[in-house]
Amino acid sequence: MTVRPVVHVGVDGSWRDTGALEWALQESLLRQEPLQAVHVIDDRLRHARGWEPDAVDDASTELVGQVQTYLDDTPGELDHEAGLLVGPPARTLVDAAAGSRMLVVGRRGLGTFKRLLIGSTSEAVVTHAAHLTMPVVIVPSGWKPTDHAGPVVVAVDDADDNTAVIEFAIEAAAERNLPVRLLHVWDLPAVYSWDAMNSSGAGAEWAENARRHLENLAAEWQNKYPDATVQIEARRGHAVDGVVTGAEEADAQLLVVGSRHRTRLMSVLLGSVTRGALHHATCPLAVVPVQV
């Protein structure tokens, strides 16, 4: 059976106005692999007061037909498909994407956390997908790749488990002929006061350590991928603000972060950076599961 590399959720009548399908189509074209679009009917709507099950089904069927027509009219010879499923939206969508390279979903609004139009949340999708170690790309409404010219930015920390995150970023950058920028945001522990920091030189020392860490990391990955253009940036400040602002100022075409998945506990730890980026990133965000 052919493995579909990208699954995109088609969303009610406003799917034409979101950026997720366009991003998924671009990814499909770059990889020369087909795309599958999936619309999920939340079965709870069929039992909700004031909802007519037949009307819900008819509207969803029409939506999928419109998406399929749009995909059929897309230039190229790839065999894209659109389908309809029923069930809990986040889990059903993730289950449908099992075995795919990635799952792409949309997010309404910029700078604020919004529910997916199918009634689930991007955070729920990320949580479910992590158990399958499948990356999820969340695309803000109205995103147009042609409006941006920046690099692929990947947030890295001091941990040793950045491998999967950086590899995803380098692959995405290579597909688009873009540089990849390793972004590390650091700050002094709260025990340092401004006076103590200035008098002891702690700020300068931590800045140098952060820079050296990035330089060593960049050299390692440049050696592994000699054709890649690897940039570095170290910023001081709050981690979430630093990552989101760093991506915005770079005009990033993609921001890549990791989510830690503890296999034994079958739980997902969405750290502050990952959750904050889910809420506030203004460019497409790729969340890559990292097993610890």
Side-chain angles (χ1 to χ4, degrees):
M1 182 177 68
T2 302
V3 175
R4 294 200 172 21
V6 177
V7 176
H8 164 72
V9 53
V11 287
D12 65 30
S14 66
W15 64 268
R16 293 180 182 275
D17 300 323
T18 66
L21 182 56
E22 294 304 320
W23 196 97
L25 280 169
Q26 181 196 52
E27 184 70 15
S28 174
L29 179 62
L30 290 170
R31 292 179 178 272
Q32 281 298 292
E33 295 176 349
L35 173 151
Q36 184 174 17
V38 177
H39 175 63
V40 180
I41 299 176
D42 189 338
D43 197 37
R44 293 172 297 184
L45 294 180
R46 291 174 162 175
H47 306 291
R49 181 177 300 177
W51 287 86
E52 291 293 336
D54 290 343
V56 172
D57 294 350
D58 290 346
S60 298
T61 300
E62 182 179 357
L63 182 153
V64 170
Q66 292 172 350
V67 173
Q68 185 65 66
T69 298
Y70 182 82
L71 294 175
D72 291 342
D73 292 340
T74 300
E77 299 180 355
L78 296 174
D79 187 17
H80 302 306
E81 295 181 1
L84 181 63
L85 296 173
V86 179
R91 184 173 295 279
T92 301
L93 184 58
V94 170
D95 288 345
S100 299
R101 292 187 186 274
M102 68 186 70
L103 171 61
V104 181
V105 295
R107 192 199 73 196
R108 277 183 174 179
L110 297 178
T112 58
F113 182 66
K114 299 292 183 182
R115 294 176 63 83
L116 289 176
L117 302 181
I118 54 171
S120 183
T121 65
S122 52
E123 188 165 330
V125 170
V126 169
T127 299
H128 289 307
H131 297 310
L132 301 176
T133 64
M134 179 173 56
V136 176
V137 178
I138 302 98
V139 183
S141 177
W143 174 266
K144 299 293 183 183
T146 54
D147 294 340
H148 304 273
V152 172
V153 174
V154 53
V156 298
D157 53 26
D158 295 324
D160 296 326
D161 55 4
N162 292 300
T163 300
V165 182
I166 296 176
E167 283 185 338
F168 183 95
I170 287 181
E171 182 177 0
E175 290 172 350
R176 294 161 174 78
N177 196 28
L178 297 173
V180 61
R181 180 173 300 180
L182 308 181
L183 172 62
H184 176 59
V185 182
W186 65 275
D187 203 359
L188 288 170
V191 294
Y192 285 89
S193 66
W194 279 100
D195 290 340
M197 178 189 68
N198 292 330
S199 62
S200 66
E205 181 180 353
W206 278 63
E208 177 61 26
N209 288 340
R211 185 79 180 179
R212 189 180 301 114
H213 167 67
L214 275 181
E215 289 174 346
N216 292 337
L217 195 61
E220 174 187 344
W221 285 94
Q222 189 71 77
N223 183 62
K224 189 173 181 179
Y225 293 93
D227 293 333
T229 300
V230 182
Q231 305 172 345
I232 62 172
E233 181 182 2
R235 303 172 69 101
R236 184 188 171 196
H238 185 275
V240 174
D241 180 69
V243 167
V244 172
T245 302
E248 287 180 349
E249 292 180 353
D251 194 25
Q253 295 195 40
L254 180 66
L255 172 61
V256 185
V257 299
S259 66
R260 286 172 173 76
H261 174 212
R262 296 189 180 276
T263 306
R264 288 184 180 181
L265 300 178
M266 288 302 290
S267 65
V268 177
L269 301 179
L270 290 185
S272 61
V273 172
T274 302
R275 182 172 284 110
L278 275 167
H279 288 214
H280 302 295
T282 56
C283 69
L285 171 73
V287 181
V288 180
V290 177
Q291 291 191 2
V292 294

